[in-house]
Short mmCIF file of all heavy atoms in Angstrom, two decimals:
data_model
loop_
_atom_site.label_atom_id
_atom_site.label_comp_id
_atom_site.label_asym_id
_atom_site.label_seq_id
_atom_site.Cartn_x
_atom_site.Cartn_y
_atom_site.Cartn_z
N GLU B 303 -20.37 -27.88 -10.26
CA GLU B 303 -18.93 -28.06 -10.48
C GLU B 303 -18.17 -26.78 -10.12
O GLU B 303 -17.12 -26.83 -9.46
CB GLU B 303 -18.66 -28.41 -11.95
CG GLU B 303 -19.03 -29.82 -12.35
CD GLU B 303 -17.98 -30.84 -11.94
OE1 GLU B 303 -16.86 -30.43 -11.56
OE2 GLU B 303 -18.26 -32.04 -12.01
N VAL B 304 -18.68 -25.64 -10.57
CA VAL B 304 -18.02 -24.37 -10.27
C VAL B 304 -18.00 -24.11 -8.77
O VAL B 304 -16.98 -23.71 -8.21
CB VAL B 304 -18.73 -23.21 -11.01
CG1 VAL B 304 -18.13 -21.87 -10.61
CG2 VAL B 304 -18.64 -23.41 -12.52
N GLN B 305 -19.12 -24.35 -8.11
CA GLN B 305 -19.22 -24.11 -6.68
C GLN B 305 -18.22 -24.96 -5.90
O GLN B 305 -17.59 -24.48 -4.94
CB GLN B 305 -20.65 -24.40 -6.20
CG GLN B 305 -20.89 -24.24 -4.72
CD GLN B 305 -20.82 -22.79 -4.27
OE1 GLN B 305 -21.16 -21.89 -5.03
NE2 GLN B 305 -20.38 -22.56 -3.04
N CYS B 306 -18.06 -26.20 -6.29
CA CYS B 306 -17.14 -27.09 -5.58
C CYS B 306 -15.69 -26.66 -5.76
O CYS B 306 -14.87 -26.79 -4.84
CB CYS B 306 -17.32 -28.52 -6.09
SG CYS B 306 -18.89 -29.29 -5.62
N ARG B 307 -15.36 -26.12 -6.93
CA ARG B 307 -13.97 -25.78 -7.22
C ARG B 307 -13.61 -24.33 -6.90
O ARG B 307 -12.45 -24.01 -6.68
CB ARG B 307 -13.68 -26.06 -8.71
CG ARG B 307 -13.84 -27.50 -9.08
CD ARG B 307 -13.74 -27.72 -10.59
NE ARG B 307 -14.06 -29.09 -10.94
CZ ARG B 307 -13.19 -30.09 -10.88
NH1 ARG B 307 -11.95 -29.87 -10.50
NH2 ARG B 307 -13.57 -31.32 -11.21
N PHE B 308 -14.65 -23.47 -6.85
CA PHE B 308 -14.39 -22.05 -6.64
C PHE B 308 -15.60 -21.45 -5.89
O PHE B 308 -16.45 -20.78 -6.50
CB PHE B 308 -14.19 -21.35 -7.99
CG PHE B 308 -13.39 -20.07 -7.92
CD1 PHE B 308 -12.03 -20.07 -8.13
CD2 PHE B 308 -14.02 -18.87 -7.63
CE1 PHE B 308 -11.30 -18.90 -8.07
CE2 PHE B 308 -13.30 -17.69 -7.57
CZ PHE B 308 -11.94 -17.70 -7.78
N PRO B 309 -15.67 -21.65 -4.59
CA PRO B 309 -16.88 -21.28 -3.83
C PRO B 309 -17.26 -19.80 -3.90
O PRO B 309 -18.45 -19.47 -3.79
CB PRO B 309 -16.52 -21.69 -2.39
CG PRO B 309 -15.49 -22.76 -2.55
CD PRO B 309 -14.69 -22.37 -3.75
N ASP B 310 -16.30 -18.89 -4.06
CA ASP B 310 -16.63 -17.47 -4.07
C ASP B 310 -16.80 -16.92 -5.49
O ASP B 310 -16.54 -15.75 -5.76
CB ASP B 310 -15.58 -16.66 -3.31
CG ASP B 310 -14.17 -16.85 -3.87
OD1 ASP B 310 -13.97 -17.81 -4.63
OD2 ASP B 310 -13.29 -16.05 -3.52
N TRP B 311 -17.27 -17.74 -6.41
CA TRP B 311 -17.41 -17.34 -7.80
C TRP B 311 -18.39 -16.19 -7.99
O TRP B 311 -18.23 -15.36 -8.88
CB TRP B 311 -17.82 -18.53 -8.68
CG TRP B 311 -19.15 -19.15 -8.33
CD1 TRP B 311 -19.38 -20.16 -7.44
CD2 TRP B 311 -20.43 -18.80 -8.87
NE1 TRP B 311 -20.71 -20.47 -7.39
CE2 TRP B 311 -21.38 -19.65 -8.26
CE3 TRP B 311 -20.86 -17.86 -9.80
CZ2 TRP B 311 -22.74 -19.59 -8.56
CZ3 TRP B 311 -22.22 -17.79 -10.11
CH2 TRP B 311 -23.14 -18.64 -9.49
N ARG B 312 -19.39 -16.09 -7.14
CA ARG B 312 -20.38 -15.01 -7.29
C ARG B 312 -19.75 -13.64 -7.12
O ARG B 312 -20.11 -12.70 -7.82
CB ARG B 312 -21.53 -15.21 -6.30
CG ARG B 312 -22.43 -16.40 -6.61
CD ARG B 312 -23.56 -16.53 -5.61
NE ARG B 312 -24.45 -17.63 -5.92
CZ ARG B 312 -24.22 -18.89 -5.58
NH1 ARG B 312 -23.10 -19.20 -4.89
NH2 ARG B 312 -25.07 -19.85 -5.90
N ALA B 313 -18.83 -13.52 -6.19
CA ALA B 313 -18.17 -12.23 -5.97
C ALA B 313 -17.36 -11.83 -7.19
O ALA B 313 -17.32 -10.64 -7.56
CB ALA B 313 -17.27 -12.31 -4.74
N GLU B 314 -16.72 -12.79 -7.84
CA GLU B 314 -15.91 -12.47 -9.02
C GLU B 314 -16.79 -12.17 -10.23
O GLU B 314 -16.45 -11.31 -11.05
CB GLU B 314 -14.94 -13.61 -9.32
CG GLU B 314 -14.04 -13.99 -8.15
CD GLU B 314 -13.39 -12.77 -7.49
OE1 GLU B 314 -13.04 -11.81 -8.21
OE2 GLU B 314 -13.24 -12.78 -6.26
N ARG B 315 -17.91 -12.84 -10.32
CA ARG B 315 -18.84 -12.52 -11.41
C ARG B 315 -19.39 -11.11 -11.23
O ARG B 315 -19.53 -10.36 -12.21
CB ARG B 315 -19.99 -13.53 -11.45
CG ARG B 315 -20.89 -13.36 -12.66
CD ARG B 315 -21.89 -14.47 -12.79
NE ARG B 315 -22.86 -14.49 -11.70
CZ ARG B 315 -23.93 -15.29 -11.66
NH1 ARG B 315 -24.12 -16.16 -12.64
NH2 ARG B 315 -24.75 -15.26 -10.65
N ALA B 316 -19.66 -10.72 -9.99
CA ALA B 316 -20.12 -9.36 -9.73
C ALA B 316 -19.02 -8.34 -10.06
O ALA B 316 -19.30 -7.23 -10.54
CB ALA B 316 -20.54 -9.22 -8.26
N TYR B 317 -17.77 -8.70 -9.81
CA TYR B 317 -16.65 -7.83 -10.14
C TYR B 317 -16.62 -7.54 -11.64
O TYR B 317 -16.44 -6.39 -12.07
CB TYR B 317 -15.35 -8.50 -9.69
CG TYR B 317 -14.09 -7.85 -10.22
CD1 TYR B 317 -13.54 -6.73 -9.59
CD2 TYR B 317 -13.44 -8.36 -11.34
CE1 TYR B 317 -12.37 -6.15 -10.08
CE2 TYR B 317 -12.27 -7.78 -11.82
CZ TYR B 317 -11.74 -6.67 -11.18
OH TYR B 317 -10.60 -6.10 -11.67
N PHE B 318 -16.81 -8.56 -12.46
CA PHE B 318 -16.82 -8.36 -13.91
C PHE B 318 -18.03 -7.53 -14.34
O PHE B 318 -17.95 -6.75 -15.29
CB PHE B 318 -16.81 -9.70 -14.64
CG PHE B 318 -15.46 -10.35 -14.66
CD1 PHE B 318 -15.26 -11.60 -14.08
CD2 PHE B 318 -14.39 -9.73 -15.27
CE1 PHE B 318 -14.02 -12.20 -14.11
CE2 PHE B 318 -13.14 -10.32 -15.30
CZ PHE B 318 -12.95 -11.56 -14.71
N HIS B 319 -19.15 -7.70 -13.64
CA HIS B 319 -20.33 -6.91 -13.97
C HIS B 319 -20.04 -5.43 -13.77
O HIS B 319 -20.47 -4.58 -14.57
CB HIS B 319 -21.50 -7.34 -13.09
CG HIS B 319 -22.76 -6.56 -13.34
ND1 HIS B 319 -23.56 -6.76 -14.44
CD2 HIS B 319 -23.34 -5.56 -12.63
CE1 HIS B 319 -24.58 -5.93 -14.41
NE2 HIS B 319 -24.48 -5.19 -13.32
N ASP B 320 -19.29 -5.11 -12.73
CA ASP B 320 -18.98 -3.70 -12.42
C ASP B 320 -17.79 -3.17 -13.19
O ASP B 320 -17.78 -2.01 -13.62
CB ASP B 320 -18.71 -3.55 -10.92
CG ASP B 320 -19.96 -3.77 -10.07
OD1 ASP B 320 -21.07 -3.57 -10.59
OD2 ASP B 320 -19.82 -4.17 -8.91
N GLN B 321 -16.75 -3.99 -13.37
CA GLN B 321 -15.49 -3.51 -13.91
C GLN B 321 -15.15 -4.03 -15.32
O GLN B 321 -14.21 -3.53 -15.95
CB GLN B 321 -14.34 -3.93 -12.97
CG GLN B 321 -14.52 -3.54 -11.52
CD GLN B 321 -14.43 -2.04 -11.32
OE1 GLN B 321 -13.73 -1.35 -12.06
NE2 GLN B 321 -15.12 -1.53 -10.32
N GLY B 322 -15.90 -5.01 -15.78
CA GLY B 322 -15.49 -5.73 -16.98
C GLY B 322 -15.36 -4.87 -18.23
O GLY B 322 -14.36 -4.94 -18.95
N ARG B 323 -16.36 -4.05 -18.51
CA ARG B 323 -16.30 -3.25 -19.73
C ARG B 323 -15.13 -2.29 -19.69
O ARG B 323 -14.48 -2.03 -20.70
CB ARG B 323 -17.61 -2.50 -19.94
CG ARG B 323 -18.79 -3.40 -20.28
CD ARG B 323 -19.95 -2.59 -20.83
NE ARG B 323 -21.11 -3.44 -21.06
CZ ARG B 323 -22.13 -3.53 -20.22
NH1 ARG B 323 -22.13 -2.83 -19.10
NH2 ARG B 323 -23.15 -4.33 -20.48
N GLY B 324 -14.86 -1.74 -18.51
CA GLY B 324 -13.72 -0.83 -18.39
C GLY B 324 -12.41 -1.52 -18.65
O GLY B 324 -11.51 -0.96 -19.29
N LEU B 325 -12.26 -2.77 -18.19
CA LEU B 325 -11.03 -3.52 -18.42
C LEU B 325 -10.82 -3.77 -19.91
O LEU B 325 -9.72 -3.61 -20.43
CB LEU B 325 -11.09 -4.86 -17.67
CG LEU B 325 -11.07 -4.80 -16.15
CD1 LEU B 325 -11.35 -6.18 -15.56
CD2 LEU B 325 -9.74 -4.26 -15.65
N LYS B 326 -11.89 -4.18 -20.59
CA LYS B 326 -11.77 -4.45 -22.03
C LYS B 326 -11.43 -3.18 -22.80
O LYS B 326 -10.59 -3.19 -23.71
CB LYS B 326 -13.08 -5.06 -22.55
CG LYS B 326 -13.32 -6.49 -22.09
CD LYS B 326 -14.67 -6.99 -22.58
CE LYS B 326 -14.91 -8.45 -22.23
NZ LYS B 326 -14.07 -9.36 -23.02
N ALA B 327 -12.08 -2.08 -22.44
CA ALA B 327 -11.81 -0.82 -23.13
C ALA B 327 -10.39 -0.35 -22.85
O ALA B 327 -9.72 0.21 -23.73
CB ALA B 327 -12.82 0.23 -22.70
N GLN B 328 -9.92 -0.55 -21.63
CA GLN B 328 -8.57 -0.14 -21.27
C GLN B 328 -7.53 -0.91 -22.09
O GLN B 328 -6.56 -0.33 -22.59
CB GLN B 328 -8.34 -0.36 -19.78
CG GLN B 328 -7.05 0.24 -19.24
CD GLN B 328 -6.94 0.10 -17.74
OE1 GLN B 328 -7.50 -0.81 -17.13
NE2 GLN B 328 -6.21 1.00 -17.12
N LEU B 329 -7.74 -2.21 -22.25
CA LEU B 329 -6.79 -3.00 -23.04
C LEU B 329 -6.77 -2.53 -24.49
O LEU B 329 -5.71 -2.37 -25.09
CB LEU B 329 -7.16 -4.49 -22.98
CG LEU B 329 -6.24 -5.39 -23.81
CD1 LEU B 329 -4.86 -5.49 -23.18
CD2 LEU B 329 -6.85 -6.77 -23.98
N ARG B 330 -7.94 -2.31 -25.07
CA ARG B 330 -7.99 -1.86 -26.45
C ARG B 330 -7.28 -0.53 -26.63
O ARG B 330 -6.58 -0.31 -27.64
CB ARG B 330 -9.44 -1.76 -26.92
CG ARG B 330 -10.10 -3.12 -27.17
CD ARG B 330 -11.51 -2.95 -27.74
NE ARG B 330 -12.11 -4.25 -28.00
CZ ARG B 330 -11.98 -4.93 -29.13
NH1 ARG B 330 -11.24 -4.43 -30.10
NH2 ARG B 330 -12.56 -6.09 -29.29
N ALA B 331 -7.44 0.36 -25.67
CA ALA B 331 -6.76 1.66 -25.78
C ALA B 331 -5.24 1.49 -25.72
O ALA B 331 -4.50 2.11 -26.49
CB ALA B 331 -7.22 2.58 -24.64
N LEU B 332 -4.76 0.61 -24.84
CA LEU B 332 -3.32 0.41 -24.71
C LEU B 332 -2.71 -0.25 -25.92
O LEU B 332 -1.54 -0.02 -26.25
CB LEU B 332 -3.04 -0.44 -23.46
CG LEU B 332 -3.22 0.27 -22.12
CD1 LEU B 332 -3.20 -0.74 -20.98
CD2 LEU B 332 -2.13 1.32 -21.92
N LEU B 333 -3.48 -1.09 -26.60
CA LEU B 333 -2.94 -1.84 -27.73
C LEU B 333 -3.09 -1.13 -29.07
O LEU B 333 -2.74 -1.71 -30.11
CB LEU B 333 -3.60 -3.22 -27.81
CG LEU B 333 -3.30 -4.19 -26.66
CD1 LEU B 333 -3.96 -5.53 -26.91
CD2 LEU B 333 -1.81 -4.34 -26.44
N GLN B 334 -3.61 0.07 -29.07
CA GLN B 334 -3.70 0.81 -30.33
C GLN B 334 -2.29 1.09 -30.84
O GLN B 334 -1.50 1.72 -30.16
CB GLN B 334 -4.45 2.12 -30.13
CG GLN B 334 -5.95 1.94 -29.88
CD GLN B 334 -6.63 3.27 -29.59
OE1 GLN B 334 -5.99 4.31 -29.63
NE2 GLN B 334 -7.92 3.22 -29.29
N GLY B 335 -2.01 0.60 -32.03
CA GLY B 335 -0.69 0.76 -32.57
C GLY B 335 -0.59 1.94 -33.53
O GLY B 335 -1.59 2.35 -34.07
#
């Protein structure tokens, strides 16, 4: 189902593998009140 609707999903999954933790940490830092 994923392949039919989003053929380049592997590239985006790899992006999260490389950048994901940094994105989550960046959001938490910005939202510190």
